[in-house]
Amino acid sequence: MKLSVMIITYNHERFIAQAIESVLAQRVNFDYEIVIGDDCSTDGTRAVIMDFHRRYPDRIVPLIRDQNIGGCRNTESTLAACQGQYLAMLEGDDYWTCEDKLQRQVDFLDANPDYAICCHRVQLFDETGTNQTGILPPHATGTYTLDDLLKGNFIMTGTTVFCRNSLGPLPPELQKLGPLDWARFAIVARNRKIALMDEVMSAYRVHAGSTWSSLPYATRLRESARMLRALDQHLGFKYTSTIRSVLATLHCELACQARRDGNRMETGKHFVKCIRNGGLQLPRRRLTLAGLVAYTLIGSWYKVFSTDKIPSSS
């Protein structure tokens, strides 16, 4: 099997058909399978999956859970069932927009064995009314390394094709921490490079049921910080300098969020964590840090001592 497409889904009745159809529309010259892990959906998702399985029994492998096991276990179990040399990932509420996406990415990885991951850009479609639209990531096309990826995740799940033999099971200490895909791609890229193509070949939906994007901003920051600390340990502390810089930025953002919420104790706690991770070296953040410490110490007098603008939570 050249490639396995792994689709993870839970209560995606409105979207799952478009996701599967976008995979079946792929024009390729190799054999591939579509392994669909449904985490005991309570809507009509299972019926849609089984209808496609009846029509394409040699292509679609349904993994239907009898009980909900959670996103991480569902993902790990579905990954373990995949047999392809390469893996492509797609969440059940997203879809692909280019019919030769898989062929182009597999051709690239075949021709460049020093690369572990090939990804591309994605079009955001907002269904929440918050106007989260555009094309991601903003990074330049080209080659990236693990160090680049640790500075900020630029790999959107539905854009990837990567080498299955670079993956392995996700360590237990990371399995309950989000964002899991960031950690997973970091592990895959430990010994090889990442290619970012310029083309937009998939769509990412932002909606109220999105597992990650629907979480509060502060929750996403905290989960990212927890994941990075665990990942640092798993990587043998070889990238501690890079990770500490990212942690400093995350805790600075968390302190700013706590300031907006009027929580002086939380502001002070994250300010201290920011400094402990080298926050004084963050570019263009000194006025922000000065304002945060002033707010922590003297509360409502913050504006008297700093005119620095607290970053928004976009």
Side-chain angles (χ1 to χ4, degrees):
M1 184 70 64
K2 187 70 170 180
L3 178 139
S4 296
V5 178
M6 186 197 76
I7 299 180
I8 295 299
T9 184
Y10 175 70
N11 285 353
H12 289 151
E13 180 182 10
R14 290 195 298 135
F15 312 122
I16 189 64
Q18 187 174 19
I20 297 173
E21 287 167 352
S22 74
V23 180
L24 292 170
Q26 292 294 303
R27 299 194 301 259
V28 297
N29 61 11
F30 52 80
D31 192 20
Y32 72 95
E33 62 179 355
I34 306 172
V35 184
I36 307 175
D38 175 65
D39 196 17
C40 195
S41 293
T42 58
D43 60 4
T45 301
R46 176 184 299 203
V48 176
I49 294 170
M50 295 312 297
D51 179 61
F52 274 97
H53 175 57
R54 282 189 289 271
R55 287 185 280 157
Y56 303 93
D58 298 328
R59 179 74 72 195
I60 294 176
V61 181
L63 302 178
I64 307 298
R65 315 293 177 200
D66 293 328
Q67 60 182 9
N68 186 275
I69 60 175
C72 179
R73 288 180 60 195
N74 185 38
T75 299
E76 292 300 295
S77 177
T78 306
L79 281 171
C82 294
Q83 303 180 60
Q85 174 188 351
Y86 297 120
L87 285 172
M89 300 178 71
L90 182 64
E91 295 182 344
D93 51 350
D94 300 330
Y95 59 97
W96 294 337
T97 58
C98 178
E99 292 180 352
D100 61 350
K101 164 194 152 66
L102 291 182
Q103 186 68 60
R104 295 173 66 179
Q105 291 179 280
V106 167
D107 287 347
F108 177 88
L109 291 173
D110 277 346
N112 298 276
D114 52 332
Y115 286 77
I117 300 174
C118 180
C119 59
H120 55 78
R121 305 196 191 283
V122 61
Q123 175 73 54
L124 269 65
F125 290 98
D126 179 35
E127 296 189 358
T128 65
T130 56
N131 199 32
Q132 299 181 64
T133 58
I135 294 174
L136 292 176
H139 296 59
T141 304
T143 295
Y144 292 89
T145 64
L146 173 55
D147 196 68
D148 299 317
L149 182 59
L150 291 174
K151 293 174 183 176
N153 184 24
F154 55 87
I155 302 177
M156 304 295 288
T157 303
T159 75
T160 59
V161 172
F162 59 93
C163 302
R164 185 165 66 95
N165 63 6
S166 298
L167 183 58
L170 199 66
E173 63 269 22
L174 286 167
Q175 289 186 10
K176 294 183 180 180
L177 301 175
L180 291 178
D181 286 344
W182 190 2
R184 185 175 288 109
F185 296 141
I187 292 171
V188 171
R190 277 178 298 183
N191 301 311
R192 286 186 278 178
K193 296 180 287 188
I194 304 165
L196 173 60
M197 293 180 163
D198 194 35
E199 292 78 8
V200 178
M201 294 192 282
S202 65
Y204 176 78
R205 282 191 177 93
V206 180
H207 60 94
S210 297
T211 304
W212 179 251
S213 60
S214 63
L215 293 175
Y217 178 61
T219 300
R220 284 180 280 153
L221 293 174
R222 284 193 295 269
E223 286 298 299
S224 295
R226 292 175 63 209
M227 183 278 294
L228 285 169
R229 285 192 290 269
L231 183 61
D232 189 23
Q233 180 177 1
H234 179 71
L235 295 174
F237 302 104
K238 295 179 181 178
Y239 297 88
T240 297
S241 177
T242 297
I243 289 175
R244 287 186 73 239
S245 178
V246 179
L247 287 173
T249 300
L250 291 174
H251 284 295
C252 182
E253 290 294 319
L254 280 164
C256 291
Q257 182 65 49
R259 163 64 185 93
R260 284 189 290 269
D261 294 339
N263 191 326
R264 288 175 65 187
M265 184 176 293
E266 281 293 302
T267 301
K269 181 181 75 173
H270 290 295
F271 170 80
V272 170
K273 290 183 178 181
C274 173
I275 298 303
R276 285 178 177 172
N277 283 285
L280 291 177
Q281 306 303 316
L282 292 177
R284 301 182 299 278
R285 290 296 183 106
R286 298 230 173 148
L287 283 177
T288 297
L289 294 173
L292 290 171
V293 72
Y295 172 72
T296 301
L297 294 174
I298 53 182
S300 60
W301 288 4
Y302 164 81
K303 292 184 179 179
V304 176
F305 289 86
S306 174
T307 58
D308 187 46
K309 183 179 180 181
I310 294 292
S312 67
S313 60
S314 59

PDB file of all heavy atoms in Angstrom, residues 269-284:
ATOM      1  N   LYS A 269       1.468  35.579  37.917  1.00  0.00           N
ATOM      2  CA  LYS A 269       1.959  34.206  37.772  1.00  0.00           C
ATOM      3  C   LYS A 269       2.577  33.979  36.398  1.00  0.00           C
ATOM      4  O   LYS A 269       3.689  33.435  36.283  1.00  0.00           O
ATOM      5  CB  LYS A 269       0.809  33.220  37.998  1.00  0.00           C
ATOM      6  CG  LYS A 269       1.225  31.754  37.888  1.00  0.00           C
ATOM      7  CD  LYS A 269       0.053  30.818  38.096  1.00  0.00           C
ATOM      8  CE  LYS A 269      -0.855  30.793  36.875  1.00  0.00           C
ATOM      9  NZ  LYS A 269      -1.920  29.758  37.001  1.00  0.00           N
ATOM     10  N   HIS A 270       1.889  34.407  35.359  1.00  0.00           N
ATOM     11  CA  HIS A 270       2.414  34.187  34.010  1.00  0.00           C
ATOM     12  C   HIS A 270       3.564  35.134  33.685  1.00  0.00           C
ATOM     13  O   HIS A 270       4.455  34.782  32.911  1.00  0.00           O
ATOM     14  CB  HIS A 270       1.282  34.310  32.991  1.00  0.00           C
ATOM     15  CG  HIS A 270       0.310  33.183  33.056  1.00  0.00           C
ATOM     16  ND1 HIS A 270       0.658  31.883  32.740  1.00  0.00           N
ATOM     17  CD2 HIS A 270      -1.001  33.149  33.423  1.00  0.00           C
ATOM     18  CE1 HIS A 270      -0.387  31.098  32.901  1.00  0.00           C
ATOM     19  NE2 HIS A 270      -1.403  31.829  33.316  1.00  0.00           N
ATOM     20  N   PHE A 271       3.565  36.323  34.292  1.00  0.00           N
ATOM     21  CA  PHE A 271       4.705  37.218  34.114  1.00  0.00           C
ATOM     22  C   PHE A 271       5.976  36.560  34.650  1.00  0.00           C
ATOM     23  O   PHE A 271       7.021  36.573  33.988  1.00  0.00           O
ATOM     24  CB  PHE A 271       4.459  38.546  34.841  1.00  0.00           C
ATOM     25  CG  PHE A 271       5.667  39.423  34.899  1.00  0.00           C
ATOM     26  CD1 PHE A 271       6.038  40.199  33.804  1.00  0.00           C
ATOM     27  CD2 PHE A 271       6.461  39.470  36.038  1.00  0.00           C
ATOM     28  CE1 PHE A 271       7.169  40.998  33.846  1.00  0.00           C
ATOM     29  CE2 PHE A 271       7.589  40.272  36.094  1.00  0.00           C
ATOM     30  CZ  PHE A 271       7.948  41.040  35.001  1.00  0.00           C
ATOM     31  N   VAL A 272       5.899  35.957  35.828  1.00  0.00           N
ATOM     32  CA  VAL A 272       7.063  35.287  36.411  1.00  0.00           C
ATOM     33  C   VAL A 272       7.523  34.133  35.525  1.00  0.00           C
ATOM     34  O   VAL A 272       8.726  33.953  35.284  1.00  0.00           O
ATOM     35  CB  VAL A 272       6.731  34.785  37.833  1.00  0.00           C
ATOM     36  CG1 VAL A 272       7.844  33.879  38.359  1.00  0.00           C
ATOM     37  CG2 VAL A 272       6.533  35.958  38.775  1.00  0.00           C
ATOM     38  N   LYS A 273       6.586  33.333  35.014  1.00  0.00           N
ATOM     39  CA  LYS A 273       6.954  32.220  34.130  1.00  0.00           C
ATOM     40  C   LYS A 273       7.585  32.721  32.840  1.00  0.00           C
ATOM     41  O   LYS A 273       8.498  32.088  32.298  1.00  0.00           O
ATOM     42  CB  LYS A 273       5.724  31.359  33.840  1.00  0.00           C
ATOM     43  CG  LYS A 273       5.241  30.549  35.039  1.00  0.00           C
ATOM     44  CD  LYS A 273       4.073  29.653  34.664  1.00  0.00           C
ATOM     45  CE  LYS A 273       3.636  28.813  35.860  1.00  0.00           C
ATOM     46  NZ  LYS A 273       2.506  27.910  35.515  1.00  0.00           N
ATOM     47  N   CYS A 274       7.096  33.849  32.347  1.00  0.00           N
ATOM     48  CA  CYS A 274       7.679  34.446  31.153  1.00  0.00           C
ATOM     49  C   CYS A 274       9.141  34.814  31.405  1.00  0.00           C
ATOM     50  O   CYS A 274      10.030  34.478  30.612  1.00  0.00           O
ATOM     51  CB  CYS A 274       6.876  35.683  30.742  1.00  0.00           C
ATOM     52  SG  CYS A 274       7.611  36.649  29.392  1.00  0.00           S
ATOM     53  N   ILE A 275       9.408  35.467  32.528  1.00  0.00           N
ATOM     54  CA  ILE A 275      10.767  35.887  32.851  1.00  0.00           C
ATOM     55  C   ILE A 275      11.683  34.689  33.066  1.00  0.00           C
ATOM     56  O   ILE A 275      12.826  34.655  32.611  1.00  0.00           O
ATOM     57  CB  ILE A 275      10.769  36.791  34.098  1.00  0.00           C
ATOM     58  CG1 ILE A 275       9.953  38.058  33.832  1.00  0.00           C
ATOM     59  CG2 ILE A 275      12.193  37.147  34.507  1.00  0.00           C
ATOM     60  CD1 ILE A 275      10.427  38.870  32.644  1.00  0.00           C
ATOM     61  N   ARG A 276      11.165  33.657  33.731  1.00  0.00           N
ATOM     62  CA  ARG A 276      11.978  32.455  33.990  1.00  0.00           C
ATOM     63  C   ARG A 276      12.392  31.753  32.703  1.00  0.00           C
ATOM     64  O   ARG A 276      13.402  31.050  32.672  1.00  0.00           O
ATOM     65  CB  ARG A 276      11.193  31.486  34.874  1.00  0.00           C
ATOM     66  CG  ARG A 276      11.122  31.904  36.337  1.00  0.00           C
ATOM     67  CD  ARG A 276      10.285  30.920  37.134  1.00  0.00           C
ATOM     68  NE  ARG A 276      10.272  31.263  38.553  1.00  0.00           N
ATOM     69  CZ  ARG A 276       9.506  30.663  39.455  1.00  0.00           C
ATOM     70  NH1 ARG A 276       8.680  29.670  39.066  1.00  0.00           N
ATOM     71  NH2 ARG A 276       9.536  31.021  40.711  1.00  0.00           N
ATOM     72  N   ASN A 277      11.612  31.923  31.662  1.00  0.00           N
ATOM     73  CA  ASN A 277      11.940  31.305  30.371  1.00  0.00           C
ATOM     74  C   ASN A 277      12.666  32.262  29.435  1.00  0.00           C
ATOM     75  O   ASN A 277      12.736  32.019  28.230  1.00  0.00           O
ATOM     76  CB  ASN A 277      10.662  30.783  29.713  1.00  0.00           C
ATOM     77  CG  ASN A 277      10.173  29.484  30.330  1.00  0.00           C
ATOM     78  OD1 ASN A 277      10.742  28.428  30.093  1.00  0.00           O
ATOM     79  ND2 ASN A 277       9.138  29.572  31.156  1.00  0.00           N
ATOM     80  N   GLY A 278      13.210  33.335  29.989  1.00  0.00           N
ATOM     81  CA  GLY A 278      13.998  34.261  29.185  1.00  0.00           C
ATOM     82  C   GLY A 278      13.199  35.373  28.558  1.00  0.00           C
ATOM     83  O   GLY A 278      13.614  35.920  27.522  1.00  0.00           O
ATOM     84  N   GLY A 279      12.084  35.742  29.167  1.00  0.00           N
ATOM     85  CA  GLY A 279      11.202  36.747  28.581  1.00  0.00           C
ATOM     86  C   GLY A 279      11.825  38.111  28.388  1.00  0.00           C
ATOM     87  O   GLY A 279      11.403  38.873  27.516  1.00  0.00           O
ATOM     88  N   LEU A 280      12.858  38.440  29.169  1.00  0.00           N
ATOM     89  CA  LEU A 280      13.508  39.739  29.007  1.00  0.00           C
ATOM     90  C   LEU A 280      14.200  39.871  27.656  1.00  0.00           C
ATOM     91  O   LEU A 280      14.520  40.979  27.221  1.00  0.00           O
ATOM     92  CB  LEU A 280      14.519  39.968  30.138  1.00  0.00           C
ATOM     93  CG  LEU A 280      13.916  40.168  31.539  1.00  0.00           C
ATOM     94  CD1 LEU A 280      15.032  40.305  32.568  1.00  0.00           C
ATOM     95  CD2 LEU A 280      13.014  41.397  31.562  1.00  0.00           C
ATOM     96  N   GLN A 281      14.429  38.733  26.997  1.00  0.00           N
ATOM     97  CA  GLN A 281      15.077  38.755  25.682  1.00  0.00           C
ATOM     98  C   GLN A 281      14.080  38.809  24.525  1.00  0.00           C
ATOM     99  O   GLN A 281      14.486  38.841  23.360  1.00  0.00           O
ATOM    100  CB  GLN A 281      15.956  37.496  25.514  1.00  0.00           C
ATOM    101  CG  GLN A 281      16.970  37.295  26.624  1.00  0.00           C
ATOM    102  CD  GLN A 281      17.902  38.479  26.783  1.00  0.00           C
ATOM    103  OE1 GLN A 281      18.391  39.022  25.784  1.00  0.00           O
ATOM    104  NE2 GLN A 281      18.158  38.881  28.024  1.00  0.00           N
ATOM    105  N   LEU A 282      12.787  38.796  24.837  1.00  0.00           N
ATOM    106  CA  LEU A 282      11.797  38.824  23.759  1.00  0.00           C
ATOM    107  C   LEU A 282      11.851  40.160  23.027  1.00  0.00           C
ATOM    108  O   LEU A 282      11.836  41.211  23.655  1.00  0.00           O
ATOM    109  CB  LEU A 282      10.381  38.618  24.325  1.00  0.00           C
ATOM    110  CG  LEU A 282      10.068  37.238  24.908  1.00  0.00           C
ATOM    111  CD1 LEU A 282       8.663  37.238  25.496  1.00  0.00           C
ATOM    112  CD2 LEU A 282      10.190  36.152  23.844  1.00  0.00           C
ATOM    113  N   PRO A 283      11.903  40.132  21.704  1.00  0.00           N
ATOM    114  CA  PRO A 283      11.954  41.398  20.951  1.00  0.00           C
ATOM    115  C   PRO A 283      10.639  42.161  21.056  1.00  0.00           C
ATOM    116  O   PRO A 283       9.566  41.582  21.044  1.00  0.00           O
ATOM    117  CB  PRO A 283      12.209  40.924  19.511  1.00  0.00           C
ATOM    118  CG  PRO A 283      11.683  39.522  19.462  1.00  0.00           C
ATOM    119  CD  PRO A 283      11.928  38.952  20.832  1.00  0.00           C
ATOM    120  N   ARG A 284      10.737  43.472  21.203  1.00  0.00           N
ATOM    121  CA  ARG A 284       9.589  44.385  21.188  1.00  0.00           C
ATOM    122  C   ARG A 284       8.566  44.082  22.289  1.00  0.00           C
ATOM    123  O   ARG A 284       7.399  44.384  22.154  1.00  0.00           O
ATOM    124  CB  ARG A 284       8.908  44.367  19.818  1.00  0.00           C
ATOM    125  CG  ARG A 284       9.823  44.781  18.668  1.00  0.00           C
ATOM    126  CD  ARG A 284       9.080  44.788  17.348  1.00  0.00           C
ATOM    127  NE  ARG A 284       8.573  43.479  17.012  1.00  0.00           N
ATOM    128  CZ  ARG A 284       9.285  42.521  16.449  1.00  0.00           C
ATOM    129  NH1 ARG A 284      10.549  42.718  16.172  1.00  0.00           N
ATOM    130  NH2 ARG A 284       8.743  41.346  16.176  1.00  0.00           N
TER     131      ARG A 284
END
